Amino acid sequence: MEQFARVHRLPPYVFAQVNDLKMRMRRQGEDIVDLGMGNPDIPTPQHIVDKLCEATHKGVNHRYSASKGIKGLRLAIANWYLNRYGVELDSDQECVVTMGAKEGMSHLMLVMLSPGDVVFTPDPAYPIHPYAAIIAGADVRRIPIGKDRDFFKDLAVATHQTWPKPKLLVINYPHNPTTELADLDFFQAIVDWAKENGVWVIHDLAYADFTFDGYTCPSFLQAKGAKDVGVEFFSLSKSYSMPGWRVGFCCGNEAMVQALTRIKSYLDYGIFQPIQIAATVALNGPQECVREIMDTYQDRRDALCDGLNRVGWEIEKPTATQFVWAKIPEQFKDMGSVEFSKMLLKKARVAVAPGLGFGHYGDDHVRFALVENRHRINQAVRGIKSILGG
């Protein structure tokens, strides 16, 4: 495989070490509480499933669809932005449907970037953010983020020290994995920096609805001039519990959206049309189901954080996302996140994601995904208690 340059640039998958151990233990009959991968376990709301079934029974929907998304879905996307954020979008020129955010982001970077281009991504980061750029042949410079960092100070230093100048900045708020938040002033500062430095921006809004305790998050596109410099991705995977359906969208800057639309026209014939029809119903239909899903996740967050604090692992409750970003307890910090994650598997029978998998600056943390029910989370806490001595 070293003959294939793009594959050669991808490092060994850090998560694989923990995943392989998890699978070996399961084959030996061990009961593992899996809080590693952020794979939603809550079924898709019934009215969305019903629409899929209805549309699937119509033979006309079995043909090739539109790679940029059917018109009804693109109109629903534009209305979703208008009703939710007050952002006006041209559904024909500024919206494109994607096979989840991951596919869309990867193909957008593929069409935008050339070898030698520089991309800024946070560190830690959701892996596709830096590696989509690397797959496209670009070079990545990582900007550290965290509660003890000044992002704009670090961004300014990186900008002054980097040549050639960056072409693209990828951001993601609420942030996976750190759960950090951004307000509208933050996004406005990003837009102003991007204009000053001639940089494009991609914002991943995957966790728009994963907000707790009364918090609501803004859209990057609400910032003045945001559409001049960037786009925003959203996926129905999390908010509507539709991860396996693979449907999302990209909205904003017309040049970027049209570049993605054009490359997709060469690469695919669009998502299975009944899925697009059901996604239209999800966006246009009653939204109470979204809050019900989020209430379940908030209950899981409380169970995990309250439980871990009770047994001696001090953790702050996140205000958003599907995750808990936990600093490794002091007595185990020298192990690093991979070995610590292996220990949790072996001794506590709990799977988590090692922070190193999200970047160098994540190696003193592990990430819990809230993808098991409260009973299983309580089981995980009891297992962790046994190794903490709490």
Side-chain angles (χ1 to χ4, degrees):
M1 298 221 323
E2 290 187 4
Q3 300 175 54
F4 308 136
R6 285 186 171 84
V7 175
H8 186 54
R9 291 193 71 198
L10 297 175
Y13 196 52
V14 170
F15 303 115
Q17 298 183 47
V18 177
N19 289 338
D20 290 346
L21 176 59
K22 177 182 68 181
M23 296 311 298
R24 288 200 303 272
M25 292 179 66
R26 280 184 164 166
R27 284 194 292 269
Q28 293 167 4
E30 298 287 355
D31 180 20
I32 306 298
V33 181
D34 192 352
L35 304 176
M37 183 179 177
N39 190 0
D41 63 313
I42 299 172
T44 305
Q46 191 60 46
H47 70 285
I48 302 172
V49 176
D50 290 343
K51 178 54 70 172
L52 172 72
C53 295
E54 176 190 318
T56 300
H57 283 293
K58 297 180 180 179
V60 68
N61 290 326
H62 298 175
R63 307 180 70 183
Y64 292 131
S65 188
S67 65
K68 68 178 181 179
I70 60 174
K71 187 173 183 63
L73 179 50
R74 286 183 284 109
L75 284 170
I77 292 164
N79 287 333
W80 185 85
Y81 262 101
L82 183 62
N83 295 333
R84 182 170 184 146
Y85 298 115
V87 172
E88 294 186 2
L89 293 167
D90 183 326
S91 62
D92 287 325
Q93 300 299 314
E94 297 175 332
C95 301
V96 59
V97 177
T98 60
M99 296 178 181
K102 199 171 183 180
E103 172 272 323
M105 203 174 303
S106 300
H107 283 145
L108 178 55
M109 291 198 211
L110 189 63
V111 77
M112 287 180 66
L113 301 173
S114 301
D117 285 340
V118 175
V119 176
F120 283 176
T121 67
D123 185 336
Y126 181 53
I128 198 60
H129 295 161
Y131 289 114
I134 288 171
I135 291 169
D139 297 319
V140 172
R141 172 148 186 180
R142 296 172 181 264
I143 314 298
I145 64 169
K147 295 187 182 304
D148 58 342
R149 309 291 310 200
D150 182 330
F151 182 77
F152 285 101
K153 183 177 179 180
D154 289 328
L155 186 62
V157 170
T159 304
H160 290 309
Q161 292 180 346
T162 301
W163 185 262
K165 293 296 185 183
K167 185 171 186 176
L168 173 67
L169 169 68
V170 184
I171 53 175
N172 160 219
Y173 292 96
H175 186 257
N176 174 17
T178 70
T179 76
E180 288 205 0
L181 308 176
D183 57 20
L184 196 52
D185 288 342
F186 179 95
F187 286 142
Q188 190 62 59
I190 290 287
V191 171
D192 295 343
W193 171 86
K195 287 189 173 186
E196 180 181 346
N197 291 280
V199 179
W200 297 106
V201 179
I202 293 175
H203 179 238
D204 183 354
L205 188 63
Y207 298 97
D209 291 298
F210 272 74
T211 57
F212 312 126
D213 306 323
Y215 169 73
T216 57
C217 73
S219 160
F220 169 73
L221 296 181
Q222 288 178 284
K224 184 178 179 181
K227 285 200 292 183
D228 296 336
V229 298
V231 294
E232 187 164 72
F233 280 89
F234 179 80
S235 167
L236 277 71
S237 296
K238 305 298 195 299
S239 295
Y240 298 92
S241 209
M242 297 169 64
W245 300 52
R246 307 314 303 134
V247 56
F249 47 84
C250 172
C251 299
N253 181 268
E254 182 176 338
M256 295 173 74
V257 168
Q258 290 306 307
L260 177 54
T261 301
R262 185 165 183 177
I263 195 172
K264 281 178 61 63
S265 72
Y266 282 88
L267 295 173
D268 69 71
Y269 286 110
I271 303 165
F272 185 44
Q273 193 149 294
I275 291 178
Q276 296 192 58
I277 293 168
T280 304
V281 166
L283 294 175
N284 285 339
Q287 300 299 297
E288 291 82 4
C289 59
V290 177
R291 192 63 252 169
E292 290 172 5
I293 291 170
M294 297 309 126
D295 287 344
T296 298
Y297 282 108
Q298 181 167 332
D299 180 66
R300 294 176 178 183
R301 177 206 66 169
D302 292 345
L304 180 63
C305 293
D306 291 345
L308 291 179
N309 279 299
R310 189 170 59 248
V311 300
W313 190 344
E314 294 185 10
I315 290 178
E316 184 177 338
K317 287 183 181 179
T319 309
T321 80
Q322 189 186 16
F323 308 108
V324 171
W325 184 238
K327 192 168 187 178
I328 297 173
E330 188 70 21
Q331 64 266 43
F332 302 112
K333 69 176 184 179
D334 292 339
M335 296 179 70
S337 60
V338 175
E339 293 305 316
F340 179 69
S341 297
K342 290 180 181 178
M343 186 187 72
L344 285 182
L345 255 178
K346 293 175 183 176
K347 296 186 176 182
R349 304 298 189 266
V350 177
V352 298
L356 185 62
F358 303 99
H360 172 75
Y361 289 96
D363 198 25
D364 58 350
H365 284 70
V366 294
R367 191 195 71 177
F368 291 86
L370 303 171
V371 292
E372 294 265 19
N373 62 40
R374 176 179 266 267
H375 171 75
R376 295 283 283 171
I377 288 173
N378 290 338
Q379 179 181 331
V381 170
R382 289 193 297 272
I384 292 170
K385 178 182 179 181
S386 69
I387 66 171
L388 294 179

